[in-house]
């Protein structure tokens, strides 16, 4: 009798790009009814361009690298973060759209959005208004800098969060400048924190019946992920330095080249026992007796001499061979996987991480499933990423009881619909 | 089940038993800071994460690890040797009072002790047990050794971080551990919600590799749809190479700034005499092919770099944001503590360390729950600080019994 854990919870997802949509997908895969809300006049930018100019080539990652008939239904980015959701179009810049939205709020549990501070209020959809519609509503505002404060209206993306949280400053190769992460990492950091605080608020509401307002400034969860370097600064006055792949107190620890193009392995030795096992595994038992590397401190201080010795051993070997030899010796070592290797990884395959899903326009592909396994409520991709306005009829007709005529009027007024208007991609 | 009092919290009625190392420290911290009674179960002598530097005033000591302080605020501590028969019995008595157990042992370790999910769910059928490992409880890699760097490497994140002509770069700050711990917290909260509805506990199996694979943006979909393999792009966004170069880190007068998604603050650059062809040539705005040309990328980069050196990071940050251009400063630690915005939001909070006679600023709430605030009411516990509170008052051991258990190495 496997059941979905969050069945019966309805979420209005006004998020765009990645952070809030990531949260929406987490909840949707676990059974919540997540309604993604976009407009014909402005859809989620991750859908890509409506009609990319021929000169642009195909930039949105369309399947088979072919321009699809409805490009906005084939954006790889959109598809990476909107599985299991329903889609409703609604123009919130017009009174009728706002009215319909409020009707929906009356029948929902959670509202989440990531507009810059003040935008929801200007549309007449601030928490005070939504609370009137539904006192039990849980509303999350999750812009880059949160509600209130001098920066609340700043334009923000994950990249900006990375820099303004101090993460960039400590991230990079030793002796070089600060660096971005290639995967807009603050977005999933924020998105998963948002999911966490929504769930906490839902639990609280079950006990008390009370909803509440959740104010997320994406820069703050990013600060939560920085570890003890803030305390080190406060208490010891130390400013953390960029360490690249080195560990603050263990060695060897790093990323070493191996056979093949741009192939690398990580190796992390965490104790003297592992060091000895490592030396035997790479057939250099004399290193275990070398006083330059005799204990953790010596190894750490002499990393510059140690690393080339390790590279001598890794360079002529295959990634998996290195992993197998060292793992058998009890030493943490693995390839640095490229995306196709992550995809084909035997561990992920054995755990059924990827699930085949068929999308009307994009075809059948493997998508990432829920990231954890729950014994009684496993969760999974329940439906493909939705087409624009695909569920208008269900949401307006079935949930709100709107008549077909009324929906036709809304469609005529372009408050709802399924075909985006020129400029909807923000281009 | 908690004895905690005071302000209403979201999770104030829950008890969590914490058997975690670095992989789970942030998970149980979330519960503790949202009000749950988190009891850290440490081996006699103290948890190994107390040995992680940095240390207070750089004096290594198990009661001075800033790492331990960071992740264990609000938690209580008891010592208990799970490897002893008495220790296991006491643990099971605690499990009866608990809602959640979070553990990070290698797969099978607790089963071997007779403390796996099956055994514990017999003691407490509503129990939620969350197991966090590098690769999960099943599969060919389940017994592999792993550190944080392994998680970010095997989840596909490390390969998209760093310069193209240098080794892949481990993101700073134990992101494998943070991400898996956060995922574990979400899964546990989902299970709690389900338990509220259906009355049943369950076992959750969380993998660091998979948690990171959830965090690599659209890499998977781009690969499936058009076999595009995202590569390291330095400080530019991962889509660079498939689309136009987005974002970079540039040095400025007194540090660094990051630019994102704009040609630049054109009027300002013009006023500074650094505009070049950016304003006069419409292709900068209309022609993606033109913008992707390596020669033009270099030209634009050069204009932006030269201009940025004319200003301070704060000037660029404020000036651009006021023009709705998302360029920002690269905050240093000093900046963070002076940032008016974080101060305005009350991000930094005071935490008292009574035995040191000192109060320190700590990083505060990752989110503001208006009615049920996140908070720190107590610094991280000393080793076994709450032995008496829990073993005597709750479980009814006498002082004499506790001293016998102590000398037997059980507590």
């Amino acid at each position: 009798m496997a059941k979905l854990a969050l069945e019966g919870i309805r979420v209005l997802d006004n998020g765009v790009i990645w952070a809030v949509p990531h949260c929406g997908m987490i909840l949707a895969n676990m059974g919540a009814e997540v309604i993604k809300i976009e407009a014909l006049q402005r859809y989620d930018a991750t859908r890509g361009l409506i009609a990319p100019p021929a000169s642009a080539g195909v930039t949105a990652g369309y399947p088979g690298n072919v321009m699809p008939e409805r490009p906005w239904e084939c954006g790889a980015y959109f598809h990476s973060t909107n599985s299991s959701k329903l889609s409703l179009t609604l123009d919130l810049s017009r009174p009728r759209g706002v009215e319909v939205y409020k009707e929906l709020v009356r029948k929902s549990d959670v509202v989440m959005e990531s507009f810059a501070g003040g935008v929801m209020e200007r549309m007449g959809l601030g928490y005070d208004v939504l609370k009137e519609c539904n006192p039990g509503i849980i509303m999350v505002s999750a812009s880059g800098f949160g509600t209130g404060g001098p920066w609340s209206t700043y334009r923000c993306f994950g990249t900006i969060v990375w820099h303004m949280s101090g993460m960039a400053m400590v991230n990079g190769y030793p002796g070089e400048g600060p660096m971005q992460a290639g995967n807009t990492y603050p977005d999933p950091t924020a998105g998963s924190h948002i999911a966490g605080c929504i769930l906490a608020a839902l639990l609280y509401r079950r006990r008390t019946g009370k909803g509440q307002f959740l104010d997320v400034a994406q820069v703050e969860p990013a600060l939560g992920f920085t570890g003890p370097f803030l305390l080190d600064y406060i208490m010891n006055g130390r400013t953390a330095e960029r360490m690249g792949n080195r560990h603050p107190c263990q060695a060897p620890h790093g990323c070493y080249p191996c056979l093949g193009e741009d192939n690398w392995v990580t190796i992390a030795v965490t104790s003297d026992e592992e060091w000895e096992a490592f030396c035997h595994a790479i057939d250099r038992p004399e290193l275990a007796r070398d006083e330059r590397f005799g204990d953790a401190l010596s190894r750490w201080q002499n990393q510059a001499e140690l690393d080339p010795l390790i590279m001598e051993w890794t360079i002529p070997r295959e990634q998996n061979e290195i992993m197998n030899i060292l793992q058998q010796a009890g030493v943490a070592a693995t390839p640095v996987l490229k995306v196709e290797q992550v995809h084909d990884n035997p561990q992920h395959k054995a755990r059924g991480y990827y699930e085949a899903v068929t999308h009307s326009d994009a075809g059948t592909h493997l998508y990432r499933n829920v990231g954890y396994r729950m014994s009684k409520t496993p969760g999974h991709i329940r439906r493909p990423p939705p087409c624009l306005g695909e569920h208008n009829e269900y949401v307006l007709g079935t949930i709100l009881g709107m008549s077909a005529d009324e929906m036709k009027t809304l469609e005529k007024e372009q408050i709802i619909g399924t075909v985006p208007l020129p400029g909807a991609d923000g281009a | 089940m908690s004895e905690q009092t005071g302000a209403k919290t979201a999770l104030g009625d829950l008890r969590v038993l914490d058997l975690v190392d670095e992989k789970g420290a942030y998970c149980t911290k979330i519960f503790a800071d949202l009000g749950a009674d988190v009891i850290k179960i440490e081996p006699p002598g103290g948890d190994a994460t107390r040995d992680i530097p940095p240390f207070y005033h750089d004096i290594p000591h198990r009661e001075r690890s800033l790492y331990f302080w960071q992740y264990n605020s609000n938690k209580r501590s008891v010592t208990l040797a799970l490897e002893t028969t008495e220790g296991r019995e006491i643990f099971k008595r605690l499990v009866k009072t608990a809602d959640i157990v979070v553990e990070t042992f290698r797969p099978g370790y607790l089963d071997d002790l007779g403390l796996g999910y099956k055994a514990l769910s017999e003691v407490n059928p509503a129990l939620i047990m969350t197991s966090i490992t590098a690769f999960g409880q099943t599969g060919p890699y389940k017994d592999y050794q792993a550190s944080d760097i392994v998680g970010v490497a095997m989840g596909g994140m490390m390969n998209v971080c760093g310069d193209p002509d240098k080794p892949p770069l481990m993101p700073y700050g134990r992101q494998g551990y943070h991400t898996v711990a956060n995922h574990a917290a979400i899964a546990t909260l989902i299970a709690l919600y389900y338990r509220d509805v259906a009355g049943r506990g369950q076992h959750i199996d969380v993998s660091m590799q998979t948690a990171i694979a959830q965090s690599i943006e659209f890499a998977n979909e781009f690969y499936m749809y058009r076999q595009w393999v995202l590569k390291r792009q330095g400080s530019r966004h991962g889509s660079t190479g498939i689309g136009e170069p987005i974002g970079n880190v540039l040095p400025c007068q007194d540090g660094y700034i990051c630019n994102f998604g704009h040609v630049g603050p054109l009027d300002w650059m013009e006023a500074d005499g650094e505009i070049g062809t950016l304003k006069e040539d419409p292709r900068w705005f209309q022609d993606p092919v033109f913008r992707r040309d390596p020669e033009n990328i270099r030209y634009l980069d050069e204009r932006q770099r030269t201009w940025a050196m004319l200003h301070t990071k704060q000037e660029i940050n404020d000036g651009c944001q006021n023009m709705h251009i998302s360029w920002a400063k690269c905050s240093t630690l000093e900046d963070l503590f002076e940032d008016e915005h974080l101060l305005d939001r009350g991000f930094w909070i005071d935490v008292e360390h009574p035995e040191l006679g000192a109060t320190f600023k700590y990083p505060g709430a990752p989110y503001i729950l208006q009615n049920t605030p996140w908070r720190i009411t107590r610094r991280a516990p000393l080793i076994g600080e709450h032995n008496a509170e829990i073993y005597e008052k709750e479980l009814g051991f006498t002082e004499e019994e506790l001293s016998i258990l102590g000398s037997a190495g059980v507590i």
Side-chain angles (χ1 to χ4, degrees):
Chain A
M1 54 177 274
K3 202 178 137 103
L4 292 159
L6 301 181
E7 254 177 55
I9 296 172
R10 182 171 294 143
V11 180
L12 305 184
D13 176 357
N14 282 75
V16 291
I17 320 281
W18 194 14
V20 167
H22 184 66
C23 167
M25 189 166 73
I26 289 170
L27 303 177
N29 285 337
M30 297 310 298
E33 185 178 84
V34 178
I35 303 171
K36 175 148 184 119
I37 300 176
E38 300 165 272
L40 298 180
Q41 293 77 1
R42 174 64 56 120
Y43 58 55
D44 187 342
T46 57
R47 285 187 181 273
L49 299 173
I50 296 175
S55 64
V58 178
T59 60
Y62 303 125
N65 209 13
V66 175
M67 183 64 67
E69 201 175 316
R70 304 194 293 172
W72 65 90
E73 300 302 2
C74 292
Y77 198 168
F78 184 84
H79 288 182
S80 74
T81 193
N82 289 290
S83 297
S84 298
K85 299 181 191 176
L86 308 178
S87 167
L88 170 73
T89 47
L90 200 56
D91 181 6
L92 295 177
S93 72
R94 284 186 281 171
R96 183 66 186 126
V98 170
E99 229 172 88
V100 173
Y101 191 85
K102 286 191 209 164
E103 286 296 317
L104 261 178
V105 169
R106 291 195 178 92
K107 305 213 164 198
S108 299
D109 303 283
V110 179
V111 169
M112 48 190 196
E113 58 94 9
S114 56
F115 299 116
V119 171
M120 284 296 271
E121 282 81 2
R122 280 203 295 282
M123 295 192 294
L125 293 171
Y127 176 62
D128 286 345
V129 176
L130 301 192
K131 190 174 62 176
E132 291 283 308
C133 301
N134 178 356
I137 199 78
I138 293 164
M139 179 177 182
V140 194
S141 287
S143 62
F145 298 107
T147 307
W151 300 348
S152 63
T153 57
Y154 279 14
R155 274 174 68 87
C156 194
F157 298 91
T159 308
I160 305 292
V161 171
W162 178 264
H163 285 79
M164 294 194 76
S165 65
M167 283 297 274
M169 205 60 199
V170 283
N171 185 62
Y173 299 99
E176 299 183 25
M179 286 195 84
Q180 180 63 256
N183 57 334
T184 325
Y185 184 63
D187 276 48
T189 300
S192 48
H193 275 88
I194 296 163
C197 68
I198 287 174
L199 288 159
L202 279 167
L203 283 163
Y204 180 72
R205 197 186 66 170
R206 275 192 67 82
R207 283 153 183 71
T208 61
K210 288 180 185 158
Q212 61 180 313
F213 180 67
L214 311 178
D215 172 9
V216 181
Q218 293 188 22
V219 73
E220 289 169 351
L223 278 160
F225 266 21
T226 53
F229 88 130
L230 296 168
L231 292 188
D232 198 20
Y233 177 75
I234 295 165
M235 297 179 189
N236 293 329
R238 181 180 294 111
T239 304
E241 284 177 11
R242 291 181 280 280
M243 294 188 307
N245 294 323
R246 293 190 166 166
H247 187 275
C249 61
Q250 295 167 359
H253 186 282
C255 180
Y256 304 89
C258 47
L259 208 60
E261 202 198 326
D262 199 30
N263 283 348
W264 304 83
V265 287
T266 61
I267 296 173
V269 170
T270 66
S271 66
D272 290 345
E273 295 73 45
E274 285 179 18
W275 169 242
E276 188 159 351
F278 175 80
C279 295
H280 284 93
I282 68 167
D283 224 4
R284 297 287 301 271
E286 78 282 5
L287 289 179
R289 295 186 299 273
D290 191 322
E291 62 185 28
R292 289 174 301 168
F293 314 124
D295 53 42
L297 181 63
S298 321
R299 285 195 297 279
W300 195 83
Q301 285 173 331
N302 296 314
Q303 283 178 84
E305 288 174 67
L306 179 52
D307 283 342
L309 298 174
I310 294 175
M311 276 157 61
E312 260 175 44
W313 183 75
T314 59
I315 285 173
R317 287 182 169 74
E318 303 246 357
Q319 279 181 325
N320 282 334
E321 181 193 353
I322 293 168
M323 172 170 75
N324 293 338
I325 291 173
L326 293 182
Q327 287 288 355
Q328 269 166 31
V331 173
T334 53
V336 177
L337 296 186
K338 298 168 188 160
V339 62
E340 75 270 33
Q341 293 172 301
V342 179
H343 204 82
D344 296 336
N345 185 249
Q347 179 70 8
H348 273 151
K349 282 194 170 157
R351 287 171 62 81
Y353 180 42
Y354 293 93
E355 187 171 349
V357 175
T358 302
H359 182 279
S360 59
D361 290 44
T364 303
H365 298 278
L366 292 171
Y367 296 86
R368 289 166 289 182
N369 208 333
V370 172
Y372 24 79
R373 297 168 116 199
M374 299 177 65
S375 62
K376 300 213 173 78
T377 55
H380 66 107
I381 300 173
R382 296 157 60 212
R383 56 172 69 87
C387 294
L388 190 69
E390 184 182 344
H391 304 95
N392 285 352
E393 211 175 295
Y394 165 74
V395 175
L396 302 176
T398 310
I399 300 178
L400 295 186
M402 199 180 270
S403 70
D405 281 354
E406 232 176 318
M407 280 188 263
K408 265 200 192 100
T409 311
L410 289 180
E411 212 168 301
K412 229 170 103 192
E413 290 170 358
Q414 297 179 326
I415 289 173
I416 65 168
T418 54
V419 180
L421 302 172
D425 45 33
Chain B
M1 295 182 191
S2 160
E3 290 172 9
Q4 303 225 0
T5 52
K8 279 177 301 175
T9 56
L11 305 181
D13 55 343
L14 297 171
R15 172 170 284 181
V16 182
L17 302 182
D18 170 324
L19 291 173
V20 305
D21 63 13
E22 288 179 273
K23 291 187 284 295
Y26 191 74
C27 170
T28 47
K29 173 180 165 63
I30 289 173
F31 300 146
D33 294 347
L34 287 174
D37 177 22
V38 178
I39 302 175
K40 185 153 190 72
I41 314 244
E42 307 192 52
D47 191 78
T49 61
R50 291 178 178 274
D51 294 330
I52 298 177
F55 296 97
Y56 181 53
H57 289 177
D58 289 329
I59 300 167
H61 189 281
R62 295 203 133 185
E63 300 293 8
R64 299 175 79 102
S65 162
L66 305 190
Y67 174 91
F68 190 84
W69 289 2
Q70 163 82 17
Y71 293 104
N72 293 285
S73 47
N74 288 326
K75 297 179 191 174
R76 299 201 282 173
S77 161
V78 297
T79 50
L80 190 62
L82 296 178
E83 291 73 16
T84 63
T85 315
E86 297 94 326
R88 287 195 284 272
E89 286 316 308
I90 293 172
F91 183 70
K92 284 187 183 170
R93 287 180 65 187
L94 284 173
V95 167
K96 277 187 194 154
T97 71
D99 303 279
I100 299 163
V101 171
V102 187
E103 63 95 6
T104 56
F105 293 109
R106 63 171 170 75
Y109 182 81
L110 285 178
D111 286 324
D112 294 346
L113 290 180
L115 298 174
Y117 172 69
K118 201 166 172 289
L120 297 185
S121 64
E122 276 163 25
V123 173
N124 178 356
L127 183 75
I128 292 160
M129 182 162 173
T130 303
S131 297
I132 308 173
T133 51
F135 295 104
Q137 301 290 312
T138 59
Y141 294 3
K142 73 180 167 64
D143 296 320
Y144 277 11
Q145 294 290 314
S147 290
D148 175 74
I149 192 172
V150 162
V152 291
M154 292 295 277
M157 176 167 176
M158 196 162 159
N159 194 54
V160 295
C161 294
D163 283 326
D165 56 350
K166 296 199 189 93
L169 178 69
M170 174 181 73
Y172 182 87
R174 300 174 171 91
Q175 299 311 325
Y177 292 153
H178 276 121
T179 291
V180 72
N182 203 23
H183 277 243
I186 294 167
T188 309
L189 290 167
I190 290 169
L192 272 169
Y193 189 88
Y194 178 71
R195 193 189 69 167
D196 254 28
V197 175
R200 310 160 77 204
Q202 59 180 314
H203 185 212
I204 304 165
D205 165 9
V206 192
S207 141
M208 173 162 64
Q209 179 188 25
T210 313
I212 286 292
Q214 294 272 340
S215 312
I216 54 171
E217 212 162 7
F218 42 67
N220 178 65
E221 288 67 26
F222 268 71
Y223 172 63
M224 280 185 316
Y225 283 12
R226 53 177 301 193
Q227 286 69 57
W228 181 270
V229 177
L230 251 56
K231 294 193 168 77
R232 299 190 291 290
Q233 304 288 353
S235 275
R236 299 200 190 269
H237 185 256
S239 63
T240 300
I242 192 165
E244 297 167 37
I246 301 177
N248 210 350
V249 181
L250 309 174
C252 65
Q253 232 171 44
D254 60 344
Y256 297 89
I257 58 141
C258 115
N259 65 3
F260 189 80
H262 281 266
V263 173
L266 297 178
D267 293 343
W268 198 359
M269 291 169 83
E270 187 173 36
D272 288 332
E274 282 300 336
I275 191 68
T277 67
L278 300 185
K279 248 185 167 178
E280 71 199 29
D281 190 338
R283 289 176 301 176
W284 288 112
F285 307 95
Q286 294 164 1
D287 188 348
V289 173
F290 176 82
R291 284 197 300 257
R292 255 186 290 170
D293 179 273
E295 218 24 70
N296 296 331
I297 291 172
R298 259 195 301 280
Y299 180 84
L300 179 61
D301 194 53
E302 170 109 14
R303 290 281 77 64
Q304 293 178 340
R305 280 174 189 274
T306 321
W307 176 78
M309 286 308 289
L310 301 174
H311 297 281
T312 66
K313 58 192 171 191
Q314 196 66 47
E315 278 167 22
I316 293 174
N317 186 78
D318 298 350
C320 286
Q321 286 290 353
N322 288 333
M323 295 178 225
H324 301 292
I325 288 172
S326 39
W327 290 24
K329 68 178 170 183
C330 185
S331 293
T332 62
L333 278 162
E334 292 87 338
D335 293 337
L336 288 176
F337 288 91
E338 286 162 14
D339 270 340
E340 49 175 354
H341 188 76
L342 290 175
L343 291 172
D344 188 272
R345 286 178 61 83
F347 180 71
W348 305 102
I349 54 168
D350 288 326
V351 176
E352 195 190 353
H353 284 249
E355 63 293 331
L356 299 172
T359 295
F360 302 106
K361 291 263 178 268
Y362 269 60
Y367 28 60
I368 298 171
L369 285 78
Q370 211 171 52
N371 298 347
T372 56
W374 180 106
R375 81 288 178 276
I376 295 181
T377 56
R378 189 173 49 223
R379 51 104 181 99
L382 308 175
I383 299 167
E385 185 175 353
H386 304 94
N387 278 357
E389 212 170 285
I390 290 166
Y391 292 146
E392 280 181 45
K393 286 196 194 136
E394 268 202 46
L395 299 190
F397 284 101
T398 64
E399 266 180 56
E400 195 187 9
E401 286 168 332
L402 289 182
S403 68
I404 295 169
L405 288 172
S407 65
V410 176
I411 66 167

